[in-house]
Amino acid sequence: MNGLKDLLEKAKKEHFAIGAFNACNLETVAAIVHAAFELHSPVIIESSPGETKFIGSRNLACLCKNFAEETGLPIYINLDHCRSMEDAYAAMDDGYDLIHFDGSRLPLEENLRIVKELVTEAHDREILIEGEIDYIEGSSEKHDEGLPVIKTTDVESAKKFVAETGVDILAVSIGNIHGVFTEPELLNFDLLRELSSQLPCFLSLHGGSGIETDQLKQGIENGIVKVNINTELRIAYRETLENVLRGNPDEYAMYKLLPPIIEEVARVVSEKIKVFNNVVK
C-alpha cells in the first residue's frame, strides 16, 4: 500500500494540495519539517539534480526518514527533475518515494519509452513516478525580467503519454514558470480543467514560487494536488543569511548563526502549506 498515493487521492477528492519543498542541507530539511510539524501537515521533501549531487540521495533519504520517525509525520521524498535512468534507479534504491523523470526535452516517443520502463520498476517497489512532456521554462532563481514565452501542455499528447506509460503524476505547463519574475504568472484554468477531466493521473504544478495566492488556490480547486516550491525558500535562506552575517561579524560558530535562517525558511513553508489548505488533513 502506497501512503503517498492514498494521500494524493485524498487531496484530489478534498481539494487540497501537498507542498513539495526543495532541500539540499540540514537547515532546509529542518525548516520544512518544523513548519509541517507545527501545522500537523504531511509534506514532500525533494531534491533537484544539483541538490541531490550536493547532499547525496541516500543522505537526504536517511535524514528525512529520521525526522519522520522523530516527529511521526508523513514525510515523503521526491527526486525532482531527474533526467537519467541511472539517477532514477539510484534514488529508488536509496529509499525515495517518488521519482519525477523530466523527459520534456526528449522526443515524445523516447520520453514515453523511458517513463514506461521506470513505471514498471517503480510500481513493483511501491514507488510513484511523475512525468513531464512539455518543458517548463525558467530556473529556480530571482529573475529581473518579464515572463518568457511559455509552451503549454498539449492535451492530446498528454492523453497518449499517460495512457501508454501508466504514470502516476503529470507535471503540467499551464502558465507556471520556475523562478520569481518581475510580473505575475497567470495560470490557464480552462486548460487545467480540460487536463483534469481528460487524464486519470494526478496533476502537479512546478514553479509554485511567485504565483499569487488566488491563482494557487484556483489551481488546487481545479485539480492540482502537488505544488513545488523552491525559489522562495532559496531567497529566504540567502537573504536571511546575509543579514545574520552582517549583524554578527565576530561570530564563527555557524550553529549559532543558523537558527534565524531555519526560522525564516520555515515561515515561508508554513505560509504555503496554509495556502494549499493542507492543514490537519
Side-chain angles (χ1 to χ4, degrees):
M1 204 65 178
N2 187 294
L4 178 55
K5 185 174 183 179
D6 292 342
L7 180 60
L8 294 171
E9 289 280 11
K10 182 177 175 67
K12 185 174 183 179
K13 180 180 178 181
E14 299 181 12
H15 299 288
F16 66 92
I18 312 304
F21 301 96
N22 284 69
C24 71
N25 57 19
L26 174 60
E27 298 88 72
T28 44
V29 173
I32 295 165
V33 172
H34 176 74
F37 183 74
E38 289 293 307
L39 295 172
H40 310 288
S41 172
V43 71
I44 297 171
I45 296 177
E46 59 188 19
S47 59
S48 67
E51 292 160 344
T52 307
K53 183 177 180 181
F54 178 78
I55 193 171
S57 59
R58 184 172 299 177
N59 293 335
L60 182 59
C62 288
L63 188 57
C64 292
K65 290 183 187 302
N66 287 345
F67 272 118
E69 290 177 8
E70 196 173 280
T71 61
L73 277 178
I75 298 175
Y76 301 99
I77 316 163
N78 174 39
L79 182 60
D80 191 31
H81 288 285
C82 166
R83 293 187 174 91
S84 78
M85 295 185 74
E86 180 182 2
D87 289 345
Y89 282 117
M92 290 185 203
D93 291 340
D94 290 338
Y96 277 54
D97 304 289
L98 170 63
I99 309 294
H100 165 218
F101 183 80
D102 181 358
S104 60
R105 293 186 174 183
L106 299 174
L108 180 61
E109 292 300 329
E110 184 180 355
N111 187 6
L112 192 153
R113 176 186 59 80
I114 292 172
V115 171
K116 187 175 182 179
E117 180 178 326
L118 290 176
V119 165
T120 299
E121 177 65 26
H123 286 184
D124 284 344
R125 306 192 196 195
E126 295 191 341
I127 296 169
L128 302 187
I129 295 291
E130 177 174 344
E132 182 175 331
I133 60 172
D134 293 290
Y135 178 67
I136 299 171
E137 296 286 344
S139 57
S140 297
E141 301 169 4
K142 196 173 183 179
H143 299 272
D144 295 323
E145 69 267 12
L147 301 176
V149 176
I150 303 167
K151 180 185 178 184
T152 55
T153 298
D154 177 74
V155 177
E156 292 305 315
S157 296
K159 286 167 64 176
K160 171 183 171 69
F161 182 80
V162 172
E164 295 190 25
T165 61
V167 73
D168 302 287
I169 306 171
L170 183 68
V172 296
S173 179
I174 55 170
N176 46 306
I177 309 168
H178 291 109
V180 174
F181 291 80
T182 57
E183 57 184 296
E185 300 164 46
L186 297 176
L187 303 182
N188 185 334
F189 297 114
D190 289 337
L191 175 57
L192 175 57
R193 281 189 285 269
E194 186 174 6
L195 290 166
S196 183
S197 66
Q198 296 283 330
L199 302 177
C201 66
F202 302 114
L203 303 181
S204 76
L205 187 74
H206 285 248
S209 293
I211 299 179
E212 294 181 355
T213 296
D214 66 324
Q215 292 275 301
L216 288 172
K217 287 185 174 181
Q218 285 187 65
I220 293 165
E221 188 63 32
N222 286 283
I224 295 295
V225 297
K226 169 179 165 284
V227 181
N228 288 34
I229 302 290
N230 191 359
T231 308
E232 289 185 53
L233 304 188
R234 290 182 173 184
I235 292 171
Y237 191 110
R238 173 166 176 157
E239 291 182 352
T240 308
L241 173 61
E242 290 173 346
N243 290 335
V244 169
L245 290 175
R246 278 194 296 267
N248 297 273
D250 300 320
E251 182 59 75
Y252 291 89
M254 292 305 295
Y255 71 90
K256 295 181 181 180
L257 299 172
L258 292 172
I261 298 164
I262 296 172
E263 182 179 342
E264 182 60 18
V265 174
R267 183 190 64 78
V268 175
V269 174
S270 179
E271 287 181 354
K272 296 300 179 184
I273 290 174
K274 291 173 183 176
V275 169
F276 303 158
N277 198 30
N278 183 21
V279 180
V280 196
K281 289 290 180 181

